[in-house]
Protein backbone atom coordinates (compact mmCIF):
# COMPACT_ATOMS: atom_id res chain seq x y z
CA UNK A 1 0.00 0.00 0.00
CA UNK A 2 1.17 3.53 -0.43
CA UNK A 3 0.24 7.15 -0.25
CA UNK A 4 1.20 9.86 -2.69
CA UNK A 5 1.33 13.54 -1.86
CA UNK A 6 2.03 16.20 -4.50
CA UNK A 7 3.51 19.31 -2.95
CA UNK A 8 2.26 22.71 -4.02
CA UNK A 9 5.74 24.18 -3.86
CA UNK A 10 7.78 26.02 -1.27
CA UNK A 11 9.38 24.31 1.68
CA UNK A 12 8.59 24.94 5.28
CA UNK A 13 11.05 25.02 8.12
CA UNK A 14 13.03 21.84 8.71
CA UNK A 15 11.33 20.18 11.65
CA UNK A 16 12.76 17.46 13.81
CA UNK A 17 11.30 13.98 13.88
CA UNK A 18 9.72 14.59 17.27
CA UNK A 19 7.58 17.37 15.81
CA UNK A 20 6.81 15.20 12.81
CA UNK A 21 5.62 12.32 14.97
CA UNK A 22 3.58 14.68 17.16
CA UNK A 23 1.64 15.67 14.04
CA UNK A 24 1.09 12.03 13.17
CA UNK A 25 -0.18 11.25 16.67
CA UNK A 26 -2.73 14.05 16.39
CA UNK A 27 -4.12 12.71 13.10
CA UNK A 28 -6.72 9.93 12.72
CA UNK A 29 -5.05 6.54 12.02
CA UNK A 30 -6.16 6.48 8.38
CA UNK A 31 -4.65 9.96 7.80
CA UNK A 32 -1.41 9.45 9.73
CA UNK A 33 0.67 8.47 6.69
CA UNK A 34 -0.78 11.34 4.63
CA UNK A 35 0.14 13.82 7.34
CA UNK A 36 3.65 12.48 7.72
CA UNK A 37 4.27 12.45 3.95
CA UNK A 38 2.99 16.01 3.51
CA UNK A 39 5.09 17.41 6.35
CA UNK A 40 8.15 15.49 5.23
CA UNK A 41 7.78 16.93 1.74
CA UNK A 42 7.70 20.44 3.13
CA UNK A 43 10.80 19.80 5.21
CA UNK A 44 13.01 18.73 2.30
CA UNK A 45 11.56 20.80 -0.56
CA UNK A 46 10.09 17.71 -2.22
CA UNK A 47 7.71 18.20 -5.14
CA UNK A 48 6.25 14.72 -4.68
CA UNK A 49 6.26 12.18 -1.85
CA UNK A 50 5.00 8.61 -2.17
CA UNK A 51 4.92 5.72 0.24
CA UNK A 52 4.50 2.27 -1.29
CA UNK A 53 4.16 -0.96 0.67
CA UNK A 54 4.59 -4.57 -0.39
CA UNK A 55 1.62 -6.68 -1.39
CA UNK A 56 0.99 -10.08 0.15
CA UNK A 57 2.34 -11.91 -2.90
CA UNK A 58 5.71 -10.19 -2.52
CA UNK A 59 5.99 -9.38 -6.23
CA UNK A 60 4.76 -5.78 -6.25
CA UNK A 61 4.39 -2.58 -4.29
CA UNK A 62 1.09 -0.81 -3.92
CA UNK A 63 0.50 2.94 -3.92
CA UNK A 64 -2.88 3.89 -2.54
CA UNK A 65 -4.67 7.21 -2.74
CA UNK A 66 -7.93 8.62 -1.42
CA UNK A 67 -10.91 9.15 -3.74
CA UNK A 68 -13.66 11.59 -2.79
CA UNK A 69 -16.95 9.71 -2.92
CA UNK A 70 -20.16 11.21 -4.26
CA UNK A 71 -22.15 12.88 -1.54
CA UNK A 72 -25.08 10.54 -2.12
CA UNK A 73 -22.96 7.37 -2.16
CA UNK A 74 -21.42 6.17 1.07
CA UNK A 75 -20.37 2.59 0.39
CA UNK A 76 -16.86 2.72 1.84
CA UNK A 77 -15.25 2.27 -1.60
CA UNK A 78 -13.29 5.50 -1.38
CA UNK A 79 -9.78 4.18 -1.93
CA UNK A 80 -7.89 3.15 -5.04
CA UNK A 81 -4.62 1.26 -5.39
CA UNK A 82 -1.92 1.37 -8.03
CA UNK A 83 0.15 -1.79 -8.42
CA UNK A 84 3.86 -1.31 -9.22
CA UNK A 85 5.71 -4.48 -10.26
CA UNK A 86 8.98 -5.14 -8.42
CA UNK A 87 10.80 -7.29 -10.96
CA UNK A 88 13.67 -5.38 -12.58
CA UNK A 89 12.68 -2.06 -11.00
CA UNK A 90 14.60 0.32 -8.78
CA UNK A 91 12.11 -0.59 -6.05
CA UNK A 92 13.26 -4.20 -6.15
CA UNK A 93 16.86 -3.15 -5.50
CA UNK A 94 15.84 -0.81 -2.69
CA UNK A 95 13.64 -3.48 -1.05
CA UNK A 96 15.91 -6.50 -1.41
CA UNK A 97 19.29 -4.85 -0.86
CA UNK A 98 17.96 -2.27 1.60
CA UNK A 99 19.92 0.46 -0.18
CA UNK A 100 19.17 4.10 -0.87
CA UNK A 101 18.71 5.05 -4.54
CA UNK A 102 19.34 8.56 -5.88
CA UNK A 103 18.94 9.03 -9.61
CA UNK A 104 18.57 11.89 -12.09
CA UNK A 105 14.96 12.36 -13.23
CA UNK A 106 13.30 14.54 -15.86
CA UNK A 107 12.19 17.12 -13.32
CA UNK A 108 15.04 16.85 -10.81
CA UNK A 109 16.17 13.92 -8.68
CA UNK A 110 14.37 10.70 -7.78
CA UNK A 111 15.10 9.35 -4.28
CA UNK A 112 13.92 5.96 -3.00
CA UNK A 113 14.59 4.61 0.49
CA UNK A 114 13.67 1.33 2.19
CA UNK A 115 10.95 1.51 4.84
CA UNK A 116 11.94 -1.23 7.25
CA UNK A 117 11.19 -2.16 10.84
CA UNK A 118 13.51 -4.67 12.54
CA UNK A 119 14.39 -6.29 9.23
CA UNK A 120 10.80 -6.44 7.97
CA UNK A 121 10.89 -4.78 4.53
CA UNK A 122 7.55 -2.97 4.58
CA UNK A 123 7.94 -0.77 1.53
CA UNK A 124 9.64 2.18 -0.12
CA UNK A 125 9.63 5.92 0.53
CA UNK A 126 9.85 7.78 -2.79
CA UNK A 127 10.52 11.51 -3.25
CA UNK A 128 11.10 13.92 -6.12
CA UNK A 129 13.58 16.66 -5.25
CA UNK A 130 14.57 19.70 -7.35
CA UNK A 131 18.24 19.39 -6.35
CA UNK A 132 20.58 16.53 -5.52
CA UNK A 133 20.16 16.03 -1.74
CA UNK A 134 23.03 16.96 0.55
CA UNK A 135 24.34 14.41 3.05
CA UNK A 136 22.39 15.90 5.95
CA UNK A 137 19.15 15.67 3.94
CA UNK A 138 19.89 12.04 3.06
CA UNK A 139 20.51 11.21 6.72
CA UNK A 140 17.27 12.94 7.67
CA UNK A 141 15.33 11.04 5.02
CA UNK A 142 16.77 7.73 6.24
CA UNK A 143 15.56 8.51 9.77
CA UNK A 144 12.18 9.60 8.42
CA UNK A 145 11.82 6.36 6.44
CA UNK A 146 12.49 4.40 9.61
CA UNK A 147 9.90 6.49 11.44
CA UNK A 148 7.42 5.82 8.64
CA UNK A 149 7.78 2.10 9.27
CA UNK A 150 6.71 2.52 12.88
CA UNK A 151 3.84 4.81 11.86
CA UNK A 152 2.55 2.10 9.52
CA UNK A 153 2.92 -0.60 12.16
CA UNK A 154 1.00 1.50 14.68
CA UNK A 155 -1.68 2.83 12.33
CA UNK A 156 -2.66 -0.48 10.74
CA UNK A 157 -3.89 -1.77 14.10
CA UNK A 158 -6.84 0.61 13.83
CA UNK A 159 -7.99 0.26 10.20
CA UNK A 160 -8.51 -2.33 7.45
CA UNK A 161 -7.44 0.02 4.66
CA UNK A 162 -3.78 -1.04 4.70
CA UNK A 163 -4.79 -4.71 4.68
CA UNK A 164 -7.24 -4.13 1.83
CA UNK A 165 -4.63 -2.53 -0.38
CA UNK A 166 -2.15 -5.39 0.03
CA UNK A 167 -4.58 -8.08 -1.15
CA UNK A 168 -4.12 -9.05 -4.80
CA UNK A 169 -7.24 -11.24 -4.89
CA UNK A 170 -10.22 -11.63 -2.56
CA UNK A 171 -9.52 -13.92 0.38
CA UNK A 172 -11.58 -17.03 1.05
CA UNK A 173 -12.79 -17.59 4.61
CA UNK A 174 -10.05 -20.19 5.08
CA UNK A 175 -7.40 -17.73 3.87
CA UNK A 176 -8.76 -15.06 6.23
CA UNK A 177 -8.48 -17.44 9.20
CA UNK A 178 -5.00 -18.54 8.14
CA UNK A 179 -3.81 -14.95 7.78
CA UNK A 180 -4.87 -14.21 11.36
CA UNK A 181 -2.67 -17.06 12.62
CA UNK A 182 0.53 -15.63 11.13
CA UNK A 183 2.76 -13.12 12.93
CA UNK A 184 2.23 -9.45 12.12
CA UNK A 185 5.78 -9.24 10.75
CA UNK A 186 7.31 -12.01 8.67
CA UNK A 187 10.90 -10.93 9.47
CA UNK A 188 12.75 -9.94 12.62
CA UNK A 189 16.36 -8.96 13.21
CA UNK A 190 17.30 -9.51 16.83
CA UNK A 191 21.02 -8.77 17.07
CA UNK A 192 22.24 -12.31 17.64
CA UNK A 193 19.77 -13.75 15.10
CA UNK A 194 17.67 -13.01 12.03
CA UNK A 195 14.44 -14.88 11.34
CA UNK A 196 12.17 -14.76 8.29
CA UNK A 197 9.15 -16.76 7.19
CA UNK A 198 6.93 -17.03 4.12
CA UNK A 199 3.72 -18.87 3.32
CA UNK A 200 2.67 -19.60 -0.27
CA UNK A 201 -0.95 -20.79 -0.12
CA UNK A 202 -2.38 -23.59 -2.23
CA UNK A 203 -5.36 -22.96 -4.51
CA UNK A 204 -7.52 -24.49 -1.77
CA UNK A 205 -5.86 -23.10 1.33
CA UNK A 206 -4.30 -25.69 3.61
CA UNK A 207 -3.49 -25.43 7.28
CA UNK A 208 0.11 -24.17 7.25
CA UNK A 209 1.30 -21.59 9.77
CA UNK A 210 4.50 -20.23 11.23
CA UNK A 211 5.02 -18.15 14.34
CA UNK A 212 7.73 -16.67 16.55
CA UNK A 213 8.33 -14.63 19.67
CA UNK A 214 11.41 -13.33 21.44
CA UNK A 215 11.89 -12.45 25.10
CA UNK A 216 14.91 -11.46 27.16
CA UNK A 217 16.31 -14.98 27.28
CA UNK A 218 14.93 -16.99 24.35
CA UNK A 219 13.78 -16.92 20.75
CA UNK A 220 10.76 -19.17 20.23
CA UNK A 221 9.55 -20.25 16.78
CA UNK A 222 7.25 -22.83 15.24
CA UNK A 223 6.12 -24.09 11.85
CA UNK A 224 2.98 -26.25 11.65
CA UNK A 225 0.87 -28.03 9.05
CA UNK A 226 -2.72 -28.99 9.83
CA UNK A 227 -4.07 -31.83 7.72
CA UNK A 228 -6.68 -31.16 5.04
CA UNK A 229 -7.72 -28.08 3.14
CA UNK A 230 -10.02 -25.10 3.26
CA UNK A 231 -11.93 -24.02 6.36
CA UNK A 232 -11.61 -27.31 8.26
CA UNK A 233 -7.80 -27.17 8.00
CA UNK A 234 -7.79 -23.51 9.03
CA UNK A 235 -9.92 -24.26 12.09
CA UNK A 236 -7.70 -27.19 13.05
CA UNK A 237 -4.65 -24.93 12.68
CA UNK A 238 -6.36 -22.36 14.92
CA UNK A 239 -6.69 -24.93 17.68
CA UNK A 240 -3.05 -25.97 17.40
CA UNK A 241 -1.59 -22.46 17.16
CA UNK A 242 -3.83 -21.21 19.96
CA UNK A 243 -2.53 -23.94 22.24
CA UNK A 244 1.11 -23.30 21.29
CA UNK A 245 0.80 -19.56 21.87
CA UNK A 246 -1.02 -20.02 25.16
CA UNK A 247 1.67 -22.26 26.63
CA UNK A 248 4.52 -20.27 25.08
CA UNK A 249 3.21 -17.15 26.76
CA UNK A 250 3.33 -19.07 30.03
CA UNK A 251 7.07 -19.62 29.31
CA UNK A 252 6.65 -23.30 28.49
CA UNK A 253 9.52 -25.21 26.90
CA UNK A 254 9.07 -26.79 23.42
CA UNK A 255 8.26 -30.23 24.92
CA UNK A 256 5.69 -28.68 27.25
CA UNK A 257 4.15 -26.76 24.35
CA UNK A 258 4.03 -29.98 22.32
CA UNK A 259 2.40 -31.93 25.15
CA UNK A 260 -0.30 -29.28 25.55
CA UNK A 261 -0.99 -29.03 21.79
CA UNK A 262 -1.25 -32.80 21.54
CA UNK A 263 -3.68 -32.95 24.48
CA UNK A 264 -5.80 -30.13 23.00
CA UNK A 265 -6.16 -31.92 19.67
CA UNK A 266 -6.92 -35.26 21.28
CA UNK A 267 -9.69 -33.60 23.27
CA UNK A 268 -11.23 -31.19 20.76
CA UNK A 269 -10.30 -32.30 17.21
CA UNK A 270 -11.89 -35.09 15.22
CA UNK A 271 -10.29 -38.54 15.71
CA UNK A 272 -8.77 -38.53 12.21
CA UNK A 273 -7.33 -34.99 12.43
CA UNK A 274 -3.72 -34.19 13.24
CA UNK A 275 -1.15 -31.41 12.95
CA UNK A 276 2.55 -31.85 12.25
CA UNK A 277 5.05 -29.27 13.41
CA UNK A 278 8.49 -28.24 14.57
CA UNK A 279 8.93 -26.20 17.73
CA UNK A 280 12.22 -24.53 18.64
CA UNK A 281 13.67 -22.43 21.43
CA UNK A 282 17.07 -20.77 21.12
CA UNK A 283 18.89 -19.51 24.20
CA UNK A 284 20.14 -16.08 23.16
CA UNK A 285 23.10 -16.11 25.51
CA UNK A 286 24.88 -19.01 23.83
CA UNK A 287 22.87 -20.41 20.89
CA UNK A 288 21.67 -23.60 22.55
CA UNK A 289 18.78 -24.87 20.43
CA UNK A 290 15.96 -27.07 21.75
CA UNK A 291 13.91 -28.63 18.97
CA UNK A 292 10.84 -30.88 18.87
CA UNK A 293 9.90 -32.51 15.57
CA UNK A 294 6.29 -33.70 15.71
CA UNK A 295 5.86 -35.74 12.53
CA UNK A 296 7.17 -32.93 10.33
CA UNK A 297 9.59 -32.84 7.34
CA UNK A 298 13.23 -32.75 8.45
CA UNK A 299 14.92 -29.37 8.94
CA UNK A 300 18.07 -28.30 7.10
CA UNK A 301 21.26 -26.59 8.22
CA UNK A 302 23.84 -24.57 6.33
CA UNK A 303 27.20 -24.59 8.13
CA UNK A 304 30.51 -23.46 6.64
CA UNK A 305 28.89 -23.26 3.22
CA UNK A 306 27.57 -26.84 3.20
CA UNK A 307 23.84 -27.62 3.27
CA UNK A 308 22.76 -30.80 5.08
CA UNK A 309 19.76 -32.33 6.82
CA UNK A 310 19.73 -31.57 10.55
CA UNK A 311 19.59 -34.90 12.36
CA UNK A 312 16.86 -34.65 15.04
CA UNK A 313 14.67 -37.39 16.49
CA UNK A 314 11.18 -37.49 14.87
CA UNK A 315 8.06 -37.95 16.96
CA UNK A 316 4.35 -38.34 16.23
CA UNK A 317 2.20 -35.48 14.99
CA UNK A 318 -0.11 -33.67 17.41
CA UNK A 319 -3.52 -35.29 17.87
CA UNK A 320 -2.61 -38.86 16.92
CA UNK A 321 -1.87 -40.65 20.21
CA UNK A 322 -1.27 -39.81 23.84
CA UNK A 323 2.37 -38.88 24.04
CA UNK A 324 5.09 -37.19 26.03
CA UNK A 325 7.45 -35.18 23.85
CA UNK A 326 11.17 -34.63 24.33
CA UNK A 327 13.49 -32.10 22.72
CA UNK A 328 16.76 -32.63 20.92
CA UNK A 329 19.46 -30.17 21.95
CA UNK A 330 21.72 -28.74 19.25
CA UNK A 331 24.52 -26.22 19.73
CA UNK A 332 24.39 -23.49 17.11
CA UNK A 333 27.60 -21.89 15.85
CA UNK A 334 27.83 -18.29 14.60
CA UNK A 335 27.12 -18.35 10.88
CA UNK A 336 24.67 -21.28 11.04
CA UNK A 337 21.52 -21.06 8.95
CA UNK A 338 18.53 -23.31 9.72
CA UNK A 339 15.66 -23.87 7.32
CA UNK A 340 12.26 -25.43 8.08
CA UNK A 341 9.66 -26.28 5.43
CA UNK A 342 6.20 -27.86 5.24
CA UNK A 343 5.37 -30.74 2.94
CA UNK A 344 4.21 -28.39 0.20
CA UNK A 345 7.90 -28.53 -0.76
CA UNK A 346 7.73 -32.32 -0.98
CA UNK A 347 4.84 -32.83 -3.40
CA UNK A 348 5.64 -34.58 -6.67
CA UNK A 349 6.73 -31.55 -8.72
CA UNK A 350 7.99 -29.43 -5.85
CA UNK A 351 10.71 -31.96 -4.99
CA UNK A 352 12.58 -30.55 -7.98
CA UNK A 353 13.57 -27.74 -5.61
CA UNK A 354 16.94 -28.84 -4.21
CA UNK A 355 16.86 -27.20 -0.78
CA UNK A 356 20.46 -27.94 0.36
CA UNK A 357 21.82 -26.73 -3.00
CA UNK A 358 19.66 -23.60 -2.79
CA UNK A 359 20.99 -22.88 0.69
CA UNK A 360 24.56 -23.20 -0.55
CA UNK A 361 23.96 -20.98 -3.58
CA UNK A 362 22.29 -18.22 -1.55
CA UNK A 363 24.49 -18.22 1.54
CA UNK A 364 25.23 -14.48 1.34
CA UNK A 365 21.61 -13.39 1.02
CA UNK A 366 19.28 -12.19 3.77
CA UNK A 367 16.77 -14.71 5.18
CA UNK A 368 13.84 -12.63 3.90
CA UNK A 369 15.26 -13.10 0.38
CA UNK A 370 15.84 -16.83 0.91
CA UNK A 371 12.24 -17.59 1.94
CA UNK A 372 10.83 -15.66 -1.01
CA UNK A 373 13.30 -17.28 -3.40
CA UNK A 374 12.29 -20.76 -2.24
CA UNK A 375 8.60 -19.89 -2.53
CA UNK A 376 9.20 -18.62 -6.08
CA UNK A 377 11.05 -21.82 -6.98
CA UNK A 378 8.29 -24.08 -5.71
CA UNK A 379 5.72 -22.02 -7.61
CA UNK A 380 7.81 -22.41 -10.78
CA UNK A 381 8.31 -26.14 -10.21
CA UNK A 382 4.56 -26.70 -9.86
CA UNK A 383 3.57 -24.33 -12.70
CA UNK A 384 1.80 -22.17 -10.14
CA UNK A 385 -0.58 -24.94 -9.11
CA UNK A 386 0.26 -25.87 -5.54
CA UNK A 387 -1.79 -28.76 -4.18
CA UNK A 388 -0.68 -27.93 -0.64
CA UNK A 389 0.56 -24.81 1.13
CA UNK A 390 4.32 -24.32 0.90
CA UNK A 391 5.70 -22.62 4.00
CA UNK A 392 9.30 -21.90 4.93
CA UNK A 393 11.05 -20.48 7.99
CA UNK A 394 14.71 -19.42 7.89
CA UNK A 395 16.85 -18.69 10.96
CA UNK A 396 20.34 -17.20 10.88
CA UNK A 397 22.33 -17.47 14.10
CA UNK A 398 24.93 -14.69 14.36
CA UNK A 399 25.94 -15.16 17.98
CA UNK A 400 27.35 -12.42 20.14
CA UNK A 401 29.62 -10.05 18.23
CA UNK A 402 31.21 -7.30 20.30
CA UNK A 403 32.11 -5.10 17.34
CA UNK A 404 28.71 -5.49 15.68
CA UNK A 405 26.83 -4.68 18.86
CA UNK A 406 29.09 -1.69 19.51
CA UNK A 407 28.50 -0.42 15.96
CA UNK A 408 24.74 -0.83 16.44
CA UNK A 409 24.92 1.19 19.64
CA UNK A 410 26.93 3.93 17.92
CA UNK A 411 24.37 4.03 15.10
CA UNK A 412 21.56 4.46 17.60
CA UNK A 413 23.50 7.25 19.31
CA UNK A 414 23.96 9.07 15.97
CA UNK A 415 20.27 8.73 15.19
CA UNK A 416 19.40 10.13 18.62
CA UNK A 417 21.69 13.14 18.08
CA UNK A 418 20.15 13.80 14.64
CA UNK A 419 16.65 13.72 16.11
CA UNK A 420 17.61 16.15 18.85
Amino acid sequence: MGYEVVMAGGAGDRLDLRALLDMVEAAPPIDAVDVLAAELGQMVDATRVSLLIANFSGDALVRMSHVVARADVEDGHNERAERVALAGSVYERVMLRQELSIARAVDGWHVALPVTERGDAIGVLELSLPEHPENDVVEYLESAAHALAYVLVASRRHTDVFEWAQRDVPFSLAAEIQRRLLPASYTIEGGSFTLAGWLEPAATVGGDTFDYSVDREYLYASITDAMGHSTQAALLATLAVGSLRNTRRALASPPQQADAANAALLEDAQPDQFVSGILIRVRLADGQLEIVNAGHPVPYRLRDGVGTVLDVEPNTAFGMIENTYAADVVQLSPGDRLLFVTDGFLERNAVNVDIPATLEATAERHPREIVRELAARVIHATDGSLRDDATVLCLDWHGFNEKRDADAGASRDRATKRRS
Side-chain angles (χ1 to χ4, degrees):
M1 157 180 214
Y3 284 88
E4 181 178 38
V5 178
V6 179
M7 309 310 299
D13 295 333
R14 180 74 54 80
L15 302 178
D16 62 22
L17 284 179
R18 180 179 299 174
L20 192 66
L21 293 176
D22 285 344
M23 294 177 184
V24 170
E25 183 69 19
I30 192 58
D31 295 329
V33 176
D34 280 338
V35 168
L36 195 151
E39 292 299 327
L40 178 61
Q42 292 288 343
M43 293 176 193
V44 297
D45 278 327
T47 56
R48 187 179 298 268
V49 180
S50 295
L51 177 63
L52 305 95
I53 67 174
N55 65 355
F56 288 144
S57 298
D59 60 355
L61 296 176
V62 184
R63 180 187 290 114
M64 197 189 78
S65 60
H66 180 72
V67 180
V68 178
R70 286 169 44 195
D72 60 337
V73 177
E74 295 183 0
D75 61 0
H77 296 165
N78 57 351
E79 308 289 344
R80 67 183 180 195
E82 174 193 350
R83 186 179 186 276
V84 181
L86 276 176
S89 70
V90 64
Y91 306 111
E92 183 179 43
R93 297 194 299 274
V94 173
M95 284 277 289
L96 295 185
R97 300 177 189 172
Q98 292 290 290
E99 295 176 353
L100 166 74
S101 171
I102 302 176
R104 171 70 75 177
V106 174
D107 56 350
W109 292 87
H110 177 267
V111 181
L113 308 97
V115 176
T116 304
E117 183 265 337
R118 290 194 177 275
D120 185 25
I122 298 174
V124 172
L125 172 63
E126 179 182 51
L127 304 97
S128 295
L129 302 178
E131 305 290 340
H132 189 288
E134 301 292 339
N135 288 340
D136 64 327
V137 173
V138 171
E139 289 186 355
Y140 181 79
L141 290 176
E142 289 174 335
S143 295
H146 196 196
L148 276 170
Y150 284 93
V151 170
L152 277 168
V153 169
S155 297
R156 70 186 308 152
R157 295 184 302 164
H158 307 290
T159 176
D160 284 337
V161 170
F162 301 96
E163 179 94 9
W164 165 82
Q166 290 181 278
R167 298 188 178 197
D168 303 285
V169 295
F171 274 26
S172 65
L173 176 58
E176 187 69 54
I177 295 171
Q178 185 183 54
R179 166 97 180 129
R180 300 280 72 79
L181 297 177
L182 300 176
S185 170
Y186 289 3
T187 302
I188 178 174
E189 292 177 344
S192 58
F193 71 91
T194 301
L195 182 74
W198 191 260
L199 187 155
E200 198 64 46
T204 55
V205 170
D208 281 15
T209 67
F210 67 89
D211 200 16
Y212 68 83
S213 179
V214 61
D215 61 25
R216 296 184 190 277
E217 189 174 0
Y218 293 106
L219 165 68
Y220 297 84
S222 65
I223 184 168
T224 57
D225 181 2
M227 63 161 289
H229 294 275
S230 196
T231 308
Q232 290 302 312
L235 292 174
L236 182 60
T238 300
L239 179 60
V241 173
S243 174
L244 293 175
R245 284 177 173 166
N246 183 50
T247 51
R248 185 191 74 205
R249 289 164 180 166
L251 306 182
S253 67
Q256 291 169 331
Q257 294 177 40
D259 289 346
N262 188 55
L265 265 67
L266 287 172
E267 180 175 353
D268 294 317
Q270 297 299 315
D272 61 343
Q273 291 183 315
F274 62 88
V275 176
S276 71
I278 289 182
L279 316 179
I280 69 169
R281 183 169 74 171
V282 182
R283 192 162 60 196
L284 300 178
D286 58 9
Q288 177 182 284
L289 167 72
E290 300 166 78
I291 179 169
V292 172
N293 183 346
H296 203 76
V298 296
Y300 301 85
R301 177 171 62 189
L302 181 72
R303 173 174 284 181
D304 297 328
V306 179
T308 59
V309 169
L310 185 63
D311 186 19
V312 295
E313 188 70 25
N315 212 314
T316 58
F318 305 132
M320 295 187 70
I321 60 173
E322 292 187 6
N323 199 3
T324 299
Y325 291 83
D328 283 90
V329 177
V330 177
Q331 183 59 50
L332 298 179
S333 296
D336 278 359
R337 169 168 288 172
L338 300 182
L339 193 82
F340 310 91
V341 301
T342 58
D343 60 10
F345 280 89
L346 305 179
E347 66 169 90
R348 181 169 57 85
N349 292 328
V351 294
N352 294 325
V353 179
D354 188 332
I355 294 176
T358 301
L359 282 174
E360 293 172 3
T362 57
E364 300 304 317
R365 296 171 64 184
H366 193 282
R368 64 172 165 258
E369 298 179 64
I370 304 305
V371 296
R372 293 190 182 191
E373 170 73 14
L374 282 166
R377 291 194 181 194
V378 78
I379 286 291
H380 177 75
T382 58
D383 293 325
S385 182
L386 279 172
R387 291 179 296 181
D388 199 3
D389 296 348
T391 304
V392 55
L393 192 64
C394 182
L395 169 64
D396 278 6
W397 176 250
H398 310 303
F400 176 73
N401 183 304
E402 188 173 349
K403 181 180 185 303
R404 183 197 65 228
D405 293 347
D407 289 345
S411 177
R412 287 192 295 270
D413 290 344
R414 287 194 298 272
T416 301
K417 290 178 180 177
R418 286 201 298 269
R419 288 194 292 271
S420 60

